Amino acid sequence: MQRQFLWIGFVLVSLFLAACGGSAPPPTPTAAPVAAAPADAAAVIDVVMHDIYFGDAPDNIENPPVWTVAAGAPFTINLENKGGLEHNWTALKPGVEPPMPFLPDQHGDLVLLTSSTVPPGQQLSETLTAPTEPGEYIVICTVAGHYPAMQGRLVVTP
Ligand SMILES: [Cu+2]
């Protein structure tokens, strides 16, 4: 009989301790979610150049490669020329229908933003500033005769 009381007392004390003594520290407040930058607007874009197309396949006309940057922000462009000709990466002003052939000497006023021309087999990186107006811009290589085979799109996100 006495052992039963001891046992009940033990259970009651255990329950009391579990309820009161086992108090966990208050939950730490979680940080408020931070507004994320647009998922695919990059501060760095990689551009591979071949004779005569951007990217991995000579299908720029049907399937132009797309690079995405944030409006008005500086971005790094890494250019890698894997071809035997010189190439560049040039975004044209909005609404421009690129003439064929595109002749840099005659059509320079259509250019919005351009990289340096990369000699065959070389790489370079430079910093450009994205257009301030969101939208889609046609990108071409302005070396005479490379457009329309060599083209892409620059998407500028707000
Ligand atoms: Cu080119």
Side-chain angles (χ1 to χ4, degrees), residues 60-69 71 89-98 110 112-113 130-140 151-158:
N60 289 183
I61 293 174
E62 317 85 63
N63 189 25
V66 177
W67 303 277
T68 302
V69 296
W89 182 96
T90 300
L92 300 180
K93 291 177 179 172
V96 166
E97 182 68 35
L110 305 179
L112 179 67
L113 183 65
T132 53
E133 194 64 38
E136 186 177 283
Y137 297 77
I138 294 177
V139 172
I140 70 171
Q151 63 175 292
R153 299 292 180 271
L154 177 67
V155 171
V156 176
T157 61

PDB file of all heavy atoms in Angstrom, residues 60-69 71 89-98 110 112-113 130-140 151-158:
ATOM      1  N   ASN A  60      20.232  30.203 -83.949  1.00  0.00           N
ATOM      2  CA  ASN A  60      19.834  31.483 -83.327  1.00  0.00           C
ATOM      3  C   ASN A  60      18.588  32.087 -83.954  1.00  0.00           C
ATOM      4  O   ASN A  60      17.854  32.825 -83.292  1.00  0.00           O
ATOM      5  CB  ASN A  60      20.964  32.511 -83.408  1.00  0.00           C
ATOM      6  CG  ASN A  60      22.148  32.213 -82.499  1.00  0.00           C
ATOM      7  OD1 ASN A  60      23.097  33.000 -82.447  1.00  0.00           O
ATOM      8  ND2 ASN A  60      22.146  31.093 -81.781  1.00  0.00           N
ATOM      9  N   ILE A  61      18.356  31.804 -85.233  1.00  0.00           N
ATOM     10  CA  ILE A  61      17.192  32.424 -85.881  1.00  0.00           C
ATOM     11  C   ILE A  61      15.904  31.843 -85.304  1.00  0.00           C
ATOM     12  O   ILE A  61      14.983  32.582 -84.951  1.00  0.00           O
ATOM     13  CB  ILE A  61      17.261  32.228 -87.408  1.00  0.00           C
ATOM     14  CG1 ILE A  61      18.450  33.028 -87.971  1.00  0.00           C
ATOM     15  CG2 ILE A  61      15.951  32.671 -88.078  1.00  0.00           C
ATOM     16  CD1 ILE A  61      18.706  32.811 -89.453  1.00  0.00           C
ATOM     17  N   GLU A  62      15.845  30.520 -85.170  1.00  0.00           N
ATOM     18  CA  GLU A  62      14.633  29.884 -84.645  1.00  0.00           C
ATOM     19  C   GLU A  62      14.618  29.876 -83.115  1.00  0.00           C
ATOM     20  O   GLU A  62      13.555  29.831 -82.500  1.00  0.00           O
ATOM     21  CB  GLU A  62      14.503  28.429 -85.107  1.00  0.00           C
ATOM     22  CG  GLU A  62      14.831  28.132 -86.556  1.00  0.00           C
ATOM     23  CD  GLU A  62      16.324  27.896 -86.774  1.00  0.00           C
ATOM     24  OE1 GLU A  62      16.863  26.931 -86.210  1.00  0.00           O
ATOM     25  OE2 GLU A  62      16.938  28.694 -87.502  1.00  0.00           O
ATOM     26  N   ASN A  63      15.791  29.854 -82.528  1.00  0.00           N
ATOM     27  CA  ASN A  63      15.883  29.636 -81.088  1.00  0.00           C
ATOM     28  C   ASN A  63      16.954  30.556 -80.492  1.00  0.00           C
ATOM     29  O   ASN A  63      17.986  30.087 -80.021  1.00  0.00           O
ATOM     30  CB  ASN A  63      16.232  28.153 -80.860  1.00  0.00           C
ATOM     31  CG  ASN A  63      16.143  27.770 -79.411  1.00  0.00           C
ATOM     32  OD1 ASN A  63      15.420  28.390 -78.640  1.00  0.00           O
ATOM     33  ND2 ASN A  63      16.909  26.760 -79.026  1.00  0.00           N
ATOM     34  N   PRO A  64      16.702  31.866 -80.516  1.00  0.00           N
ATOM     35  CA  PRO A  64      17.745  32.789 -80.052  1.00  0.00           C
ATOM     36  C   PRO A  64      18.033  32.617 -78.562  1.00  0.00           C
ATOM     37  O   PRO A  64      17.095  32.500 -77.772  1.00  0.00           O
ATOM     38  CB  PRO A  64      17.150  34.176 -80.344  1.00  0.00           C
ATOM     39  CG  PRO A  64      15.682  33.963 -80.466  1.00  0.00           C
ATOM     40  CD  PRO A  64      15.471  32.564 -80.945  1.00  0.00           C
ATOM     41  N   PRO A  65      19.292  32.586 -78.183  1.00  0.00           N
ATOM     42  CA  PRO A  65      19.601  32.515 -76.756  1.00  0.00           C
ATOM     43  C   PRO A  65      19.113  33.783 -76.049  1.00  0.00           C
ATOM     44  O   PRO A  65      19.072  34.855 -76.654  1.00  0.00           O
ATOM     45  CB  PRO A  65      21.123  32.407 -76.709  1.00  0.00           C
ATOM     46  CG  PRO A  65      21.607  32.841 -78.046  1.00  0.00           C
ATOM     47  CD  PRO A  65      20.496  32.636 -79.018  1.00  0.00           C
ATOM     48  N   VAL A  66      18.736  33.623 -74.789  1.00  0.00           N
ATOM     49  CA  VAL A  66      18.167  34.732 -74.020  1.00  0.00           C
ATOM     50  C   VAL A  66      19.049  34.989 -72.804  1.00  0.00           C
ATOM     51  O   VAL A  66      19.413  34.064 -72.076  1.00  0.00           O
ATOM     52  CB  VAL A  66      16.728  34.395 -73.562  1.00  0.00           C
ATOM     53  CG1 VAL A  66      16.157  35.513 -72.692  1.00  0.00           C
ATOM     54  CG2 VAL A  66      15.829  34.147 -74.766  1.00  0.00           C
ATOM     55  N   TRP A  67      19.377  36.255 -72.593  1.00  0.00           N
ATOM     56  CA  TRP A  67      20.095  36.671 -71.391  1.00  0.00           C
ATOM     57  C   TRP A  67      19.189  37.639 -70.643  1.00  0.00           C
ATOM     58  O   TRP A  67      18.550  38.485 -71.275  1.00  0.00           O
ATOM     59  CB  TRP A  67      21.406  37.351 -71.762  1.00  0.00           C
ATOM     60  CG  TRP A  67      22.321  36.502 -72.595  1.00  0.00           C
ATOM     61  CD1 TRP A  67      23.193  35.539 -72.150  1.00  0.00           C
ATOM     62  CD2 TRP A  67      22.466  36.515 -74.028  1.00  0.00           C
ATOM     63  NE1 TRP A  67      23.858  34.974 -73.215  1.00  0.00           N
ATOM     64  CE2 TRP A  67      23.439  35.546 -74.370  1.00  0.00           C
ATOM     65  CE3 TRP A  67      21.869  37.256 -75.054  1.00  0.00           C
ATOM     66  CZ2 TRP A  67      23.816  35.303 -75.690  1.00  0.00           C
ATOM     67  CZ3 TRP A  67      22.249  37.013 -76.364  1.00  0.00           C
ATOM     68  CH2 TRP A  67      23.205  36.051 -76.684  1.00  0.00           C
ATOM     69  N   THR A  68      19.150  37.513 -69.335  1.00  0.00           N
ATOM     70  CA  THR A  68      18.238  38.341 -68.541  1.00  0.00           C
ATOM     71  C   THR A  68      19.021  39.156 -67.517  1.00  0.00           C
ATOM     72  O   THR A  68      19.851  38.596 -66.786  1.00  0.00           O
ATOM     73  CB  THR A  68      17.204  37.442 -67.834  1.00  0.00           C
ATOM     74  OG1 THR A  68      16.516  36.692 -68.829  1.00  0.00           O
ATOM     75  CG2 THR A  68      16.201  38.271 -67.066  1.00  0.00           C
ATOM     76  N   VAL A  69      18.757  40.443 -67.487  1.00  0.00           N
ATOM     77  CA  VAL A  69      19.417  41.331 -66.525  1.00  0.00           C
ATOM     78  C   VAL A  69      18.369  42.258 -65.925  1.00  0.00           C
ATOM     79  O   VAL A  69      17.259  42.385 -66.448  1.00  0.00           O
ATOM     80  CB  VAL A  69      20.548  42.154 -67.193  1.00  0.00           C
ATOM     81  CG1 VAL A  69      21.665  41.246 -67.686  1.00  0.00           C
ATOM     82  CG2 VAL A  69      20.010  43.010 -68.339  1.00  0.00           C
ATOM     83  N   ALA A  71      16.859  45.921 -64.902  1.00  0.00           N
ATOM     84  CA  ALA A  71      16.860  47.258 -65.502  1.00  0.00           C
ATOM     85  C   ALA A  71      17.791  48.216 -64.770  1.00  0.00           C
ATOM     86  O   ALA A  71      17.775  48.298 -63.545  1.00  0.00           O
ATOM     87  CB  ALA A  71      15.443  47.820 -65.501  1.00  0.00           C
ATOM     88  N   TRP A  89      28.863  41.462 -79.045  1.00  0.00           N
ATOM     89  CA  TRP A  89      27.512  41.272 -78.482  1.00  0.00           C
ATOM     90  C   TRP A  89      26.900  42.657 -78.372  1.00  0.00           C
ATOM     91  O   TRP A  89      27.375  43.486 -77.589  1.00  0.00           O
ATOM     92  CB  TRP A  89      27.654  40.614 -77.114  1.00  0.00           C
ATOM     93  CG  TRP A  89      26.396  40.277 -76.378  1.00  0.00           C
ATOM     94  CD1 TRP A  89      25.753  39.075 -76.356  1.00  0.00           C
ATOM     95  CD2 TRP A  89      25.652  41.139 -75.506  1.00  0.00           C
ATOM     96  NE1 TRP A  89      24.653  39.147 -75.537  1.00  0.00           N
ATOM     97  CE2 TRP A  89      24.566  40.405 -75.008  1.00  0.00           C
ATOM     98  CE3 TRP A  89      25.801  42.479 -75.109  1.00  0.00           C
ATOM     99  CZ2 TRP A  89      23.636  40.947 -74.125  1.00  0.00           C
ATOM    100  CZ3 TRP A  89      24.865  43.026 -74.231  1.00  0.00           C
ATOM    101  CH2 TRP A  89      23.803  42.248 -73.756  1.00  0.00           C
ATOM    102  N   THR A  90      25.884  42.904 -79.178  1.00  0.00           N
ATOM    103  CA  THR A  90      25.347  44.260 -79.297  1.00  0.00           C
ATOM    104  C   THR A  90      23.823  44.247 -79.189  1.00  0.00           C
ATOM    105  O   THR A  90      23.152  43.585 -79.985  1.00  0.00           O
ATOM    106  CB  THR A  90      25.766  44.858 -80.655  1.00  0.00           C
ATOM    107  OG1 THR A  90      27.193  44.901 -80.715  1.00  0.00           O
ATOM    108  CG2 THR A  90      25.196  46.251 -80.838  1.00  0.00           C
ATOM    109  N   ALA A  91      23.303  44.981 -78.229  1.00  0.00           N
ATOM    110  CA  ALA A  91      21.850  45.114 -78.095  1.00  0.00           C
ATOM    111  C   ALA A  91      21.406  46.350 -78.871  1.00  0.00           C
ATOM    112  O   ALA A  91      22.033  47.415 -78.783  1.00  0.00           O
ATOM    113  CB  ALA A  91      21.466  45.252 -76.624  1.00  0.00           C
ATOM    114  N   LEU A  92      20.350  46.171 -79.649  1.00  0.00           N
ATOM    115  CA  LEU A  92      19.839  47.278 -80.462  1.00  0.00           C
ATOM    116  C   LEU A  92      18.741  48.028 -79.713  1.00  0.00           C
ATOM    117  O   LEU A  92      18.117  47.493 -78.788  1.00  0.00           O
ATOM    118  CB  LEU A  92      19.310  46.740 -81.784  1.00  0.00           C
ATOM    119  CG  LEU A  92      20.348  45.999 -82.635  1.00  0.00           C
ATOM    120  CD1 LEU A  92      19.717  45.500 -83.929  1.00  0.00           C
ATOM    121  CD2 LEU A  92      21.556  46.874 -82.937  1.00  0.00           C
ATOM    122  N   LYS A  93      18.512  49.241 -80.156  1.00  0.00           N
ATOM    123  CA  LYS A  93      17.463  50.060 -79.536  1.00  0.00           C
ATOM    124  C   LYS A  93      16.102  49.376 -79.673  1.00  0.00           C
ATOM    125  O   LYS A  93      15.879  48.608 -80.623  1.00  0.00           O
ATOM    126  CB  LYS A  93      17.446  51.439 -80.197  1.00  0.00           C
ATOM    127  CG  LYS A  93      18.692  52.263 -79.869  1.00  0.00           C
ATOM    128  CD  LYS A  93      18.700  53.597 -80.580  1.00  0.00           C
ATOM    129  CE  LYS A  93      19.952  54.391 -80.198  1.00  0.00           C
ATOM    130  NZ  LYS A  93      20.100  55.622 -81.015  1.00  0.00           N
ATOM    131  N   PRO A  94      15.170  49.672 -78.743  1.00  0.00           N
ATOM    132  CA  PRO A  94      13.869  49.002 -78.786  1.00  0.00           C
ATOM    133  C   PRO A  94      13.140  49.275 -80.099  1.00  0.00           C
ATOM    134  O   PRO A  94      13.205  50.380 -80.634  1.00  0.00           O
ATOM    135  CB  PRO A  94      13.100  49.611 -77.614  1.00  0.00           C
ATOM    136  CG  PRO A  94      14.035  50.483 -76.877  1.00  0.00           C
ATOM    137  CD  PRO A  94      15.303  50.614 -77.643  1.00  0.00           C
ATOM    138  N   GLY A  95      12.481  48.274 -80.619  1.00  0.00           N
ATOM    139  CA  GLY A  95      11.662  48.439 -81.809  1.00  0.00           C
ATOM    140  C   GLY A  95      12.423  48.435 -83.119  1.00  0.00           C
ATOM    141  O   GLY A  95      11.824  48.556 -84.179  1.00  0.00           O
ATOM    142  N   VAL A  96      13.744  48.285 -83.042  1.00  0.00           N
ATOM    143  CA  VAL A  96      14.549  48.301 -84.266  1.00  0.00           C
ATOM    144  C   VAL A  96      14.444  46.958 -84.986  1.00  0.00           C
ATOM    145  O   VAL A  96      14.573  45.905 -84.370  1.00  0.00           O
ATOM    146  CB  VAL A  96      16.030  48.597 -83.926  1.00  0.00           C
ATOM    147  CG1 VAL A  96      16.931  48.279 -85.123  1.00  0.00           C
ATOM    148  CG2 VAL A  96      16.200  50.031 -83.497  1.00  0.00           C
ATOM    149  N   GLU A  97      14.184  47.022 -86.280  1.00  0.00           N
ATOM    150  CA  GLU A  97      14.254  45.834 -87.124  1.00  0.00           C
ATOM    151  C   GLU A  97      15.637  45.856 -87.761  1.00  0.00           C
ATOM    152  O   GLU A  97      15.926  46.732 -88.585  1.00  0.00           O
ATOM    153  CB  GLU A  97      13.156  45.893 -88.202  1.00  0.00           C
ATOM    154  CG  GLU A  97      13.087  44.683 -89.114  1.00  0.00           C
ATOM    155  CD  GLU A  97      12.617  43.433 -88.395  1.00  0.00           C
ATOM    156  OE1 GLU A  97      11.768  43.532 -87.483  1.00  0.00           O
ATOM    157  OE2 GLU A  97      13.118  42.350 -88.748  1.00  0.00           O
ATOM    158  N   PRO A  98      16.508  44.941 -87.385  1.00  0.00           N
ATOM    159  CA  PRO A  98      17.895  45.054 -87.862  1.00  0.00           C
ATOM    160  C   PRO A  98      17.965  44.913 -89.383  1.00  0.00           C
ATOM    161  O   PRO A  98      17.358  44.006 -89.947  1.00  0.00           O
ATOM    162  CB  PRO A  98      18.603  43.879 -87.185  1.00  0.00           C
ATOM    163  CG  PRO A  98      17.702  43.452 -86.090  1.00  0.00           C
ATOM    164  CD  PRO A  98      16.314  43.809 -86.494  1.00  0.00           C
ATOM    165  N   LEU A 110      21.647  52.597 -84.537  1.00  0.00           N
ATOM    166  CA  LEU A 110      20.654  51.639 -84.032  1.00  0.00           C
ATOM    167  C   LEU A 110      21.126  50.934 -82.762  1.00  0.00           C
ATOM    168  O   LEU A 110      20.362  50.222 -82.124  1.00  0.00           O
ATOM    169  CB  LEU A 110      20.348  50.583 -85.101  1.00  0.00           C
ATOM    170  CG  LEU A 110      19.891  51.128 -86.467  1.00  0.00           C
ATOM    171  CD1 LEU A 110      19.641  49.975 -87.426  1.00  0.00           C
ATOM    172  CD2 LEU A 110      18.645  51.989 -86.307  1.00  0.00           C
ATOM    173  N   LEU A 112      22.225  50.248 -79.051  1.00  0.00           N
ATOM    174  CA  LEU A 112      21.940  50.739 -77.705  1.00  0.00           C
ATOM    175  C   LEU A 112      23.110  50.469 -76.766  1.00  0.00           C
ATOM    176  O   LEU A 112      23.491  51.301 -75.950  1.00  0.00           O
ATOM    177  CB  LEU A 112      20.670  50.060 -77.179  1.00  0.00           C
ATOM    178  CG  LEU A 112      20.228  50.434 -75.776  1.00  0.00           C
ATOM    179  CD1 LEU A 112      19.781  51.894 -75.734  1.00  0.00           C
ATOM    180  CD2 LEU A 112      19.101  49.529 -75.313  1.00  0.00           C
ATOM    181  N   LEU A 113      23.650  49.278 -76.878  1.00  0.00           N
ATOM    182  CA  LEU A 113      24.626  48.790 -75.888  1.00  0.00           C
ATOM    183  C   LEU A 113      25.520  47.779 -76.591  1.00  0.00           C
ATOM    184  O   LEU A 113      25.004  46.888 -77.280  1.00  0.00           O
ATOM    185  CB  LEU A 113      23.821  48.096 -74.795  1.00  0.00           C
ATOM    186  CG  LEU A 113      24.493  47.533 -73.570  1.00  0.00           C
ATOM    187  CD1 LEU A 113      25.098  48.684 -72.759  1.00  0.00           C
ATOM    188  CD2 LEU A 113      23.452  46.798 -72.715  1.00  0.00           C
ATOM    189  N   ALA A 130      22.720  47.792 -67.836  1.00  0.00           N
ATOM    190  CA  ALA A 130      21.485  47.377 -68.514  1.00  0.00           C
ATOM    191  C   ALA A 130      20.638  48.587 -68.869  1.00  0.00           C
ATOM    192  O   ALA A 130      20.676  49.610 -68.176  1.00  0.00           O
ATOM    193  CB  ALA A 130      20.695  46.438 -67.608  1.00  0.00           C
ATOM    194  N   PRO A 131      19.863  48.466 -69.931  1.00  0.00           N
ATOM    195  CA  PRO A 131      18.914  49.536 -70.248  1.00  0.00           C
ATOM    196  C   PRO A 131      17.974  49.790 -69.064  1.00  0.00           C
ATOM    197  O   PRO A 131      17.664  48.876 -68.301  1.00  0.00           O
ATOM    198  CB  PRO A 131      18.121  48.968 -71.441  1.00  0.00           C
ATOM    199  CG  PRO A 131      18.993  47.903 -72.020  1.00  0.00           C
ATOM    200  CD  PRO A 131      19.775  47.345 -70.867  1.00  0.00           C
ATOM    201  N   THR A 132      17.526  51.029 -68.933  1.00  0.00           N
ATOM    202  CA  THR A 132      16.636  51.351 -67.814  1.00  0.00           C
ATOM    203  C   THR A 132      15.195  50.954 -68.109  1.00  0.00           C
ATOM    204  O   THR A 132      14.384  50.814 -67.188  1.00  0.00           O
ATOM    205  CB  THR A 132      16.678  52.865 -67.508  1.00  0.00           C
ATOM    206  OG1 THR A 132      16.424  53.580 -68.720  1.00  0.00           O
ATOM    207  CG2 THR A 132      18.036  53.272 -66.968  1.00  0.00           C
ATOM    208  N   GLU A 133      14.890  50.765 -69.384  1.00  0.00           N
ATOM    209  CA  GLU A 133      13.516  50.430 -69.772  1.00  0.00           C
ATOM    210  C   GLU A 133      13.362  48.908 -69.853  1.00  0.00           C
ATOM    211  O   GLU A 133      14.008  48.255 -70.670  1.00  0.00           O
ATOM    212  CB  GLU A 133      13.221  51.055 -71.137  1.00  0.00           C
ATOM    213  CG  GLU A 133      11.767  51.078 -71.516  1.00  0.00           C
ATOM    214  CD  GLU A 133      10.923  51.943 -70.588  1.00  0.00           C
ATOM    215  OE1 GLU A 133      11.393  53.022 -70.135  1.00  0.00           O
ATOM    216  OE2 GLU A 133       9.793  51.532 -70.289  1.00  0.00           O
ATOM    217  N   PRO A 134      12.491  48.311 -68.999  1.00  0.00           N
ATOM    218  CA  PRO A 134      12.280  46.865 -69.091  1.00  0.00           C
ATOM    219  C   PRO A 134      11.723  46.477 -70.459  1.00  0.00           C
ATOM    220  O   PRO A 134      11.023  47.265 -71.101  1.00  0.00           O
ATOM    221  CB  PRO A 134      11.264  46.583 -67.988  1.00  0.00           C
ATOM    222  CG  PRO A 134      11.384  47.733 -67.050  1.00  0.00           C
ATOM    223  CD  PRO A 134      11.732  48.920 -67.906  1.00  0.00           C
ATOM    224  N   GLY A 135      12.030  45.278 -70.872  1.00  0.00           N
ATOM    225  CA  GLY A 135      11.527  44.803 -72.157  1.00  0.00           C
ATOM    226  C   GLY A 135      12.490  43.815 -72.771  1.00  0.00           C
ATOM    227  O   GLY A 135      13.416  43.332 -72.109  1.00  0.00           O
ATOM    228  N   GLU A 136      12.232  43.514 -74.041  1.00  0.00           N
ATOM    229  CA  GLU A 136      13.079  42.558 -74.759  1.00  0.00           C
ATOM    230  C   GLU A 136      13.793  43.284 -75.884  1.00  0.00           C
ATOM    231  O   GLU A 136      13.164  44.014 -76.655  1.00  0.00           O
ATOM    232  CB  GLU A 136      12.230  41.417 -75.309  1.00  0.00           C
ATOM    233  CG  GLU A 136      13.070  40.323 -75.947  1.00  0.00           C
ATOM    234  CD  GLU A 136      12.205  39.158 -76.429  1.00  0.00           C
ATOM    235  OE1 GLU A 136      11.785  38.356 -75.581  1.00  0.00           O
ATOM    236  OE2 GLU A 136      11.963  39.067 -77.641  1.00  0.00           O
ATOM    237  N   TYR A 137      15.085  43.086 -75.954  1.00  0.00           N
ATOM    238  CA  TYR A 137      15.920  43.763 -76.946  1.00  0.00           C
ATOM    239  C   TYR A 137      16.577  42.720 -77.844  1.00  0.00           C
ATOM    240  O   TYR A 137      17.013  41.671 -77.365  1.00  0.00           O
ATOM    241  CB  TYR A 137      17.008  44.579 -76.231  1.00  0.00           C
ATOM    242  CG  TYR A 137      16.468  45.696 -75.355  1.00  0.00           C
ATOM    243  CD1 TYR A 137      15.923  45.428 -74.099  1.00  0.00           C
ATOM    244  CD2 TYR A 137      16.499  47.019 -75.784  1.00  0.00           C
ATOM    245  CE1 TYR A 137      15.429  46.448 -73.303  1.00  0.00           C
ATOM    246  CE2 TYR A 137      16.010  48.052 -74.984  1.00  0.00           C
ATOM    247  CZ  TYR A 137      15.476  47.759 -73.747  1.00  0.00           C
ATOM    248  OH  TYR A 137      14.983  48.777 -72.958  1.00  0.00           O
ATOM    249  N   ILE A 138      16.672  43.051 -79.116  1.00  0.00           N
ATOM    250  CA  ILE A 138      17.373  42.162 -80.040  1.00  0.00           C
ATOM    251  C   ILE A 138      18.875  42.363 -79.855  1.00  0.00           C
ATOM    252  O   ILE A 138      19.356  43.498 -79.799  1.00  0.00           O
ATOM    253  CB  ILE A 138      16.951  42.447 -81.490  1.00  0.00           C
ATOM    254  CG1 ILE A 138      15.474  42.087 -81.683  1.00  0.00           C
ATOM    255  CG2 ILE A 138      17.824  41.663 -82.476  1.00  0.00           C
ATOM    256  CD1 ILE A 138      14.940  42.396 -83.077  1.00  0.00           C
ATOM    257  N   VAL A 139      19.575  41.250 -79.729  1.00  0.00           N
ATOM    258  CA  VAL A 139      21.039  41.266 -79.637  1.00  0.00           C
ATOM    259  C   VAL A 139      21.585  40.665 -80.929  1.00  0.00           C
ATOM    260  O   VAL A 139      21.097  39.622 -81.386  1.00  0.00           O
ATOM    261  CB  VAL A 139      21.526  40.439 -78.424  1.00  0.00           C
ATOM    262  CG1 VAL A 139      23.041  40.298 -78.433  1.00  0.00           C
ATOM    263  CG2 VAL A 139      21.050  41.069 -77.120  1.00  0.00           C
ATOM    264  N   ILE A 140      22.570  41.326 -81.476  1.00  0.00           N
ATOM    265  CA  ILE A 140      23.217  40.781 -82.674  1.00  0.00           C
ATOM    266  C   ILE A 140      24.726  40.901 -82.526  1.00  0.00           C
ATOM    267  O   ILE A 140      25.230  41.593 -81.637  1.00  0.00           O
ATOM    268  CB  ILE A 140      22.766  41.527 -83.962  1.00  0.00           C
ATOM    269  CG1 ILE A 140      23.326  42.961 -83.994  1.00  0.00           C
ATOM    270  CG2 ILE A 140      21.247  41.550 -84.083  1.00  0.00           C
ATOM    271  CD1 ILE A 140      23.108  43.668 -85.328  1.00  0.00           C
ATOM    272  N   GLN A 151      22.383  35.937 -83.436  1.00  0.00           N
ATOM    273  CA  GLN A 151      21.494  36.855 -82.710  1.00  0.00           C
ATOM    274  C   GLN A 151      20.982  36.200 -81.429  1.00  0.00           C
ATOM    275  O   GLN A 151      21.059  34.988 -81.241  1.00  0.00           O
ATOM    276  CB  GLN A 151      20.318  37.262 -83.582  1.00  0.00           C
ATOM    277  CG  GLN A 151      19.409  36.112 -83.999  1.00  0.00           C
ATOM    278  CD  GLN A 151      18.195  36.608 -84.772  1.00  0.00           C
ATOM    279  OE1 GLN A 151      17.337  37.280 -84.201  1.00  0.00           O
ATOM    280  NE2 GLN A 151      18.125  36.268 -86.051  1.00  0.00           N
ATOM    281  N   GLY A 152      20.439  37.017 -80.554  1.00  0.00           N
ATOM    282  CA  GLY A 152      19.861  36.541 -79.300  1.00  0.00           C
ATOM    283  C   GLY A 152      18.910  37.604 -78.783  1.00  0.00           C
ATOM    284  O   GLY A 152      18.536  38.524 -79.498  1.00  0.00           O
ATOM    285  N   ARG A 153      18.509  37.445 -77.540  1.00  0.00           N
ATOM    286  CA  ARG A 153      17.600  38.402 -76.924  1.00  0.00           C
ATOM    287  C   ARG A 153      18.104  38.780 -75.537  1.00  0.00           C
ATOM    288  O   ARG A 153      18.565  37.912 -74.784  1.00  0.00           O
ATOM    289  CB  ARG A 153      16.184  37.812 -76.784  1.00  0.00           C
ATOM    290  CG  ARG A 153      15.531  37.420 -78.092  1.00  0.00           C
ATOM    291  CD  ARG A 153      15.188  38.601 -78.986  1.00  0.00           C
ATOM    292  NE  ARG A 153      14.573  38.191 -80.230  1.00  0.00           N
ATOM    293  CZ  ARG A 153      15.237  37.890 -81.354  1.00  0.00           C
ATOM    294  NH1 ARG A 153      16.559  37.938 -81.396  1.00  0.00           N
ATOM    295  NH2 ARG A 153      14.596  37.518 -82.456  1.00  0.00           N
ATOM    296  N   LEU A 154      17.993  40.056 -75.240  1.00  0.00           N
ATOM    297  CA  LEU A 154      18.280  40.537 -73.903  1.00  0.00           C
ATOM    298  C   LEU A 154      16.957  40.885 -73.258  1.00  0.00           C
ATOM    299  O   LEU A 154      16.226  41.750 -73.757  1.00  0.00           O
ATOM    300  CB  LEU A 154      19.193  41.777 -73.951  1.00  0.00           C
ATOM    301  CG  LEU A 154      19.492  42.407 -72.586  1.00  0.00           C
ATOM    302  CD1 LEU A 154      20.336  41.470 -71.723  1.00  0.00           C
ATOM    303  CD2 LEU A 154      20.183  43.763 -72.748  1.00  0.00           C
ATOM    304  N   VAL A 155      16.626  40.205 -72.181  1.00  0.00           N
ATOM    305  CA  VAL A 155      15.397  40.517 -71.443  1.00  0.00           C
ATOM    306  C   VAL A 155      15.776  41.363 -70.239  1.00  0.00           C
ATOM    307  O   VAL A 155      16.638  40.969 -69.436  1.00  0.00           O
ATOM    308  CB  VAL A 155      14.662  39.229 -71.016  1.00  0.00           C
ATOM    309  CG1 VAL A 155      13.512  39.559 -70.078  1.00  0.00           C
ATOM    310  CG2 VAL A 155      14.159  38.489 -72.245  1.00  0.00           C
ATOM    311  N   VAL A 156      15.158  42.512 -70.133  1.00  0.00           N
ATOM    312  CA  VAL A 156      15.434  43.441 -69.040  1.00  0.00           C
ATOM    313  C   VAL A 156      14.218  43.433 -68.119  1.00  0.00           C
ATOM    314  O   VAL A 156      13.113  43.777 -68.540  1.00  0.00           O
ATOM    315  CB  VAL A 156      15.716  44.851 -69.579  1.00  0.00           C
ATOM    316  CG1 VAL A 156      15.911  45.834 -68.440  1.00  0.00           C
ATOM    317  CG2 VAL A 156      16.951  44.834 -70.491  1.00  0.00           C
ATOM    318  N   THR A 157      14.443  43.017 -66.895  1.00  0.00           N
ATOM    319  CA  THR A 157      13.340  42.911 -65.935  1.00  0.00           C
ATOM    320  C   THR A 157      13.263  44.176 -65.082  1.00  0.00           C
ATOM    321  O   THR A 157      14.287  44.832 -64.866  1.00  0.00           O
ATOM    322  CB  THR A 157      13.525  41.692 -65.019  1.00  0.00           C
ATOM    323  OG1 THR A 157      14.751  41.860 -64.307  1.00  0.00           O
ATOM    324  CG2 THR A 157      13.574  40.401 -65.806  1.00  0.00           C
ATOM    325  N   PRO A 158      12.065  44.536 -64.622  1.00  0.00           N
ATOM    326  CA  PRO A 158      11.917  45.761 -63.815  1.00  0.00           C
ATOM    327  C   PRO A 158      12.728  45.687 -62.516  1.00  0.00           C
ATOM    328  O   PRO A 158      12.972  44.606 -62.029  1.00  0.00           O
ATOM    329  CB  PRO A 158      10.436  45.820 -63.491  1.00  0.00           C
ATOM    330  CG  PRO A 158       9.771  44.876 -64.431  1.00  0.00           C
ATOM    331  CD  PRO A 158      10.788  43.857 -64.820  1.00  0.00           C
TER     332      PRO A 158
END
